[in-house]
Amino acid sequence: MNKQGNLYTVIYVTVLVAVVGTALAFTSMSLRDRQQANVAADKMRQILASVRLTPAPAEVIPTFDSAITGQLVVRADGTRAEGDAFDIDVAAQSKLPAADRLLPVYIYTAPDGECKYILPVYGAGLWGPIWGYVSLDADGSTVYGAYFNHQGETPGLGAEITRPAFSGQFEGKQMFHDGRLMPVTVVKAGQTPADGRDYVDGISGGTITSKGVAAMLDNCIAPYSAYLQSLSK
């Protein structure tokens, strides 16, 4: 066969693509379990961060298994639902009407025996999705801790939501006022919300991301109202 001809080139490229494609597919399948395990471990790390636990990478899974003493799924009316909390797609659920959502809850038992209730949140920032976890004291209202992350916010601006300087502001804030759920909001420094709810200062230069966090909390925490009220009772 003429190696300078078009037929040879086409055959060579076809065989090369087939070989490389097969190798990549095999590699992907071989590593799938490890990739999924890494994703699960990272999710555990984020959940633990919302209750102020920061174990070393090798200790994330055992810490999660010992510290998170309960996982459940509830509905907007406060009743239990079937399902595995860890497997719930919060991103997809956040787009559904509140009454139709499956709402994961993780229960952390602190060394003093007190329970903290961890709720996942998901929303949109300036350049892509943002998400996080908010933990509440046993009264279902007082924020114990918070963790936030993002996919593509601007470093030094919107990406600052990952910093303790931002998330730490949430500690001690109240979700309920006069029996009404009013999720903590995010406002421009120096301002206060008109409805009297608790608030934290937004990121300087990250106005859209800050508003995204506020909208995310409103959208994702509000459906838990009945469940959180049951805790206080």
Side-chain angles (χ1 to χ4, degrees), residues 42-43 45-47 90-91 119-125 128-134 146-153 161-162 212-213 216-217 220:
D42 187 58
K43 182 175 179 178
R45 179 189 61 80
Q46 295 181 37
I47 293 171
V90 178
L119 315 179
V121 293
Y122 186 93
I130 56 177
W131 63 90
Y133 297 89
V134 177
Y147 170 88
F148 301 107
N149 210 328
H150 66 93
Q151 179 172 296
E153 300 307 288
I161 63 172
T162 63
V213 173
M216 172 175 69
L217 294 173
C220 292

Side-chain angles (χ1 to χ4, degrees), residues 108-196:
Y108 162 62
T109 302
D112 62 3
E114 185 174 352
C115 288
K116 314 295 181 184
Y117 297 85
I118 305 168
L119 315 179
V121 293
Y122 186 93
L126 174 60
W127 301 113
I130 56 177
W131 63 90
Y133 297 89
V134 177
S135 63
L136 305 176
D137 282 339
D139 61 5
S141 177
T142 307
V143 178
Y144 179 73
Y147 170 88
F148 301 107
N149 210 328
H150 66 93
Q151 179 172 296
E153 300 307 288
T154 307
L157 298 176
E160 294 296 299
I161 63 172
T162 63
R163 303 283 186 179
F166 176 73
S167 59
Q169 298 181 83
F170 286 81
E171 296 175 13
K173 302 295 184 180
Q174 297 296 318
M175 290 289 186
F176 280 89
H177 293 273
D178 297 324
R180 178 186 172 195
L181 178 61
M182 302 172 69
V184 180
T185 192
V186 184
V187 299
K188 186 176 181 180
Q191 296 183 351
T192 57
D195 57 8

Side-chain angles (χ1 to χ4, degrees), residues 212-231:
V213 173
M216 172 175 69
L217 294 173
D218 265 340
N219 178 47
C220 292
I221 300 294
Y224 286 93
S225 180
Y227 175 73
L228 295 177
Q229 285 181 315
S230 73
L231 298 179

